[in-house]
Amino acid sequence: MAEVIVITGANSGIGKEIALTLAGPGRHFFLLARRVPELEKVATALRETGAQATVRPIDLRREHAWPGFFDELAAQDIRIDQVYHCAVRMSVGAVHNTTAGDWEEIYRVNLLTAADILATVFPEMIARSTGRVVLFGSISVNSGYPMATPYCATKTAIHAAWRSLLPEAKRSGVGLHYVSPGFVDTPLFENFILRGVTRQQTRQCALSLRVPISSPRRVATTIVRKIERGKTFVVTPNSIRLLIFIFRHIPSTSRRYFGQMFRSLGVEK
C-alpha cells in the first residue's frame, strides 16, 4: 500500500517544493489548495516520478474545510501517514485597519486547520504509533511583526500547541515537527491582505529589513532532510538562528529592528 502524504498549500511555494522533494514511487500525494490549474501541474510532475497524486480543491478559509476532507478519506479507508500544513494567510496593516473578517480568515487557514489536523489525524497516528505531522510557524513568535498582528498571533499559538504536544508524540513514536522558516520567496508576499498600505510599500519594507530571502526549493530540501533525520524543531536558513536568539534575549533589539518596518510603511513608531 502506498504511503499517503497530505500537503496543504501544495499549489506553490514551500508546499509545492516539499511535494516535489518527497516525490517517488510508493507514495500517494493528496494536494490541497484553492487553485486547481497550479495543483494539476504539481500532480503531473509527481506522477512523472512514479508517485500517485490526487488533486483536492479546498478553501481552508471556509468552516469545516479540513474535517470534511478527513471524513472523505476515512470513508474510503485511507490512512494518512504524513501531513504538511504549508497553507498560510497574512495581513499587513495597522490593527485599527484590520477587519474582523481578516482575523477570521487568517485564523481559519493558519490556526484552525492546524487544530483540525491535530484533532483528527494526530490521535489516529498516536493510536498506531506511527506517522508524521509537520506544522509551520514563524520567527515572529520570538518578537512579533509590527503591522501583522493576526498572523503573529496564530503562529504563536501553533508554536505553543507543538511544544505542548511534543512529549506525547515522542512517547508514542509519532513525528511532530515545527518548522520556523526565515523569509522565503513565495507567493505569500503577493497575496497579502493589505489594509492601509500598498503592495509597493510592502516590497520596500522587505528590502529595508536586509534579511536573506531564500528560494522555496532550497528551504523545502532543507526541511525534508532535517525532518528525516529526526529533527523536531527546524530552523532554516541557519543564519536565522542568530536573529531568533537576539530577539528572544534582547527584546529591545527587535523593536529597533522592526522600527524600519514602520518607517517604510509610512507609519509612525
Side-chain angles (χ1 to χ4, degrees):
M1 176 178 278
E3 180 182 20
V4 174
I5 301 174
V6 178
I7 302 176
T8 69
N11 60 309
S12 62
I14 296 176
K16 169 187 173 181
E17 295 300 335
I18 282 179
L20 296 176
T21 301
L22 292 171
R27 287 179 163 171
H28 185 171
F29 291 85
F30 284 83
L31 308 175
L32 278 57
R34 287 180 292 150
R35 298 179 177 86
V36 176
E38 289 90 339
L39 285 177
E40 291 289 0
K41 291 178 181 178
V42 179
T44 297
L46 292 175
R47 292 172 188 135
E48 290 174 351
T49 71
Q52 297 173 260
T54 299
V55 167
R56 178 60 165 83
I58 191 170
D59 190 347
L60 296 175
R61 299 173 301 176
R62 304 294 176 241
E63 189 175 5
H64 303 309
W66 174 272
F69 165 73
F70 178 78
D71 289 344
E72 286 181 18
L73 293 192
Q76 301 173 56
D77 199 27
I78 297 175
R79 183 185 68 183
I80 297 174
D81 296 295
Q82 297 189 49
V83 56
Y84 292 75
H85 180 34
C86 303
V88 62
R89 288 293 278 161
M90 182 174 179
S91 65
V92 177
V95 72
H96 64 268
N97 289 325
T98 305
T99 69
D102 298 338
W103 276 92
E104 182 173 4
E105 182 174 327
I106 293 165
Y107 161 75
R108 287 190 183 281
V109 175
N110 297 1
L111 181 57
L112 184 58
T113 300
D116 284 338
I117 290 169
L118 293 173
T120 55
V121 180
F122 187 68
E124 195 272 334
M125 291 179 175
I126 292 287
R128 67 176 195 263
S129 298
T130 185
R132 175 175 291 158
V133 174
V134 182
L135 303 174
F136 281 75
S138 167
I139 62 172
S140 68
V141 303
N142 300 282
S143 62
Y145 288 163
M147 311 292 282
T149 302
Y151 170 83
C152 295
T154 57
K155 292 301 184 179
T156 300
I158 289 172
H159 182 260
W162 167 77
R163 286 181 63 92
S164 300
L165 284 172
L166 188 58
E168 186 176 347
K170 287 183 175 180
R171 284 196 302 270
S172 66
V174 173
L176 182 62
H177 308 266
Y178 178 88
V179 178
S180 183
F183 293 85
V184 185
D185 185 15
T186 74
L188 169 65
F189 287 98
E190 297 301 321
N191 294 325
F192 283 148
I193 301 169
L194 300 178
R195 298 298 182 215
V197 297
T198 67
R199 202 163 301 283
Q200 181 59 32
Q201 284 177 307
T202 62
R203 291 194 186 96
Q204 292 173 347
C205 169
L207 293 174
S208 73
L209 296 178
R210 298 180 180 178
V211 294
I213 298 179
S214 305
S215 73
R217 179 167 297 181
R218 181 176 181 180
V219 169
T221 300
T222 301
I223 290 169
V224 170
R225 183 179 70 251
K226 289 188 176 183
I227 285 176
E228 290 183 343
R229 289 178 179 174
K231 297 286 187 180
T232 56
F233 180 66
V234 177
V235 177
T236 181
N238 286 329
S239 58
I240 294 297
R241 288 184 179 275
L242 177 60
L243 205 58
I244 290 174
F245 178 86
I246 292 173
F247 287 170
R248 182 179 296 164
H249 296 284
I250 314 175
S252 61
T253 303
S254 68
R255 289 194 292 271
R256 289 196 300 271
Y257 183 78
F258 286 115
Q260 299 176 62
M261 183 178 287
F262 280 97
R263 289 191 291 273
S264 63
L265 293 176
V267 179
E268 294 294 329
K269 290 192 289 185

